[in-house]
Amino acid sequence: MERYFYIIMLAVLLSCIGCRQNWSSSLLLSDDDDSVMVVDRYDRIESRYITTGDFAALQEMSTKYPEETRTLIEDVVRVGRVDDPEINKKFLLYFQDSTLIQIQRDVQEQYASMDDINEELATACSSLKKMIPTIKMPKVYAQIGSLDQSIIVGNSSIGVCLDKYLGANYPLYAKYYSIQQREQMTRRMIVPDVIAFYLLSLYPMPHLQGDDAQTANDVHMSKIIWIVNKIMKRSVISMHYVEYVDKYMQEHPETSATELLEDVDYKAIVK
């Protein structure tokens, strides 16, 4: 199950590469304004347009959230280009599918309030900044997709697809996902996933060649998970190599989180 979860995480990350990633050194600049983190409820405007065809909602999507809307249309649901004269009709028609209608209803019911997630996100971001003082958190927003992706990394933003966090026992999931996958599709995984994918976008896989490539990737993933577990103050994910990372950090308390991610070779951890 441990390796299986790693494969799931990596597959989702690779699926995000087609989105508009433009992470730069500006995300590693200290910013006092990011001390209060909340999830922007873009999903509510999206849902209003999907369910009513409200032109005002469409205008708000286009003017207030142009990049989020472009990413949603072109990279998440993939119904065409945002500059297509017919794209609004195509987008609206796409979400008239009965399954997607039910999903968006369930999203709005389960996530009528995200106060708990906002509080957890703020605490996690504060802890992350203590571990990596130069880091700057991007904007985090919620949206409704079509079960393809969980976390979307974009141009200084992170999109959370709430349709992928409706609970391990959500009936529709059983048709498409394994038990192991469904265990990660819960409300409690939103903040850990945001932090994990954010860190992965800043500190990508080593992409080595040869027999040790998989081990190097596994260890790098375990470094990320180790930091996430520390930040969340709970064992979000248990993986074999996370224990190795923990042992290494206990033996090398002077090693910072940044040094762990950038400089510590995987061979030093699995020796």
Side-chain angles (χ1 to χ4, degrees), residues 9 13 24 50 55 79 110-111 130 133 167 172 180 197 207 216 223 231 239 251 261 270:
M9 289 284 285
L13 177 65
S24 66
I50 290 171
F55 182 72
V79 292
Q110 284 199 32
Y111 291 95
K130 289 178 181 177
L172 183 62
Q180 291 87 349
F197 283 107
H207 298 301
K223 293 178 182 180
I231 288 171
M239 286 179 64
E251 294 174 349
L261 293 169
V270 298

Side-chain angles (χ1 to χ4, degrees), residues 25-205:
S25 58
S26 64
L27 291 180
L28 294 175
L29 298 176
S30 179
D31 185 354
D32 293 336
D33 292 335
D34 64 4
S35 58
V36 178
M37 292 289 297
V38 296
V39 178
D40 195 332
R41 297 304 302 269
Y42 172 75
D43 65 292
R44 288 177 171 169
I45 304 169
E46 177 192 355
S47 181
R48 194 165 83 240
Y49 179 61
I50 290 171
T51 56
T52 68
D54 183 4
F55 182 72
L58 177 62
Q59 280 189 313
E60 189 170 359
M61 289 172 63
S62 301
T63 58
K64 186 177 179 180
Y65 300 93
E67 191 63 29
E68 292 85 349
T69 299
R70 179 184 293 273
T71 298
L72 175 63
I73 289 174
E74 296 186 357
D75 301 312
V76 179
V77 297
R78 302 185 184 95
V79 292
R81 292 185 57 83
V82 73
D83 56 2
D84 180 350
E86 299 296 317
I87 195 60
N88 296 333
K89 293 180 181 178
K90 292 178 181 179
F91 178 74
L92 187 60
L93 181 62
Y94 178 85
F95 275 100
Q96 299 315 300
D97 175 85
S98 59
T99 298
L100 294 181
I101 289 174
Q102 186 60 51
I103 287 174
Q104 69 86 19
R105 288 174 179 168
D106 293 336
V107 164
Q108 294 308 313
E109 180 179 349
Q110 284 199 32
Y111 291 95
S113 171
M114 293 183 69
D115 290 347
D116 58 323
I117 295 172
N118 288 331
E119 181 178 352
E120 189 174 49
L121 179 63
T123 301
C125 290
S126 176
S127 298
L128 179 59
K129 195 150 189 173
K130 289 178 181 177
M131 294 186 75
I132 307 178
T134 54
I135 207 165
K136 174 184 176 182
M137 288 302 295
K139 173 184 178 181
V140 180
Y141 67 95
Q143 65 183 356
I144 303 171
S146 56
L147 300 181
D148 289 333
Q149 297 162 344
S150 302
I151 303 294
I152 308 299
V153 290
N155 184 15
S156 301
S157 65
I158 297 178
V160 180
C161 296
L162 295 179
D163 49 289
K164 291 294 290 289
Y165 295 97
L166 293 173
N169 297 320
Y170 187 61
L172 183 62
Y173 289 168
K175 298 180 181 180
Y176 304 105
Y177 303 104
S178 67
I179 294 175
Q180 291 87 349
Q181 288 173 305
R182 297 199 302 272
E183 288 176 350
Q184 311 305 321
M185 299 168 71
T186 67
R187 191 182 187 101
R188 282 172 55 84
M189 286 302 298
I190 289 179
V191 174
D193 281 357
V194 166
I195 301 299
F197 283 107
Y198 174 61
L199 289 173
L200 281 167
S201 69
L202 294 176
Y203 305 96
M205 294 292 181

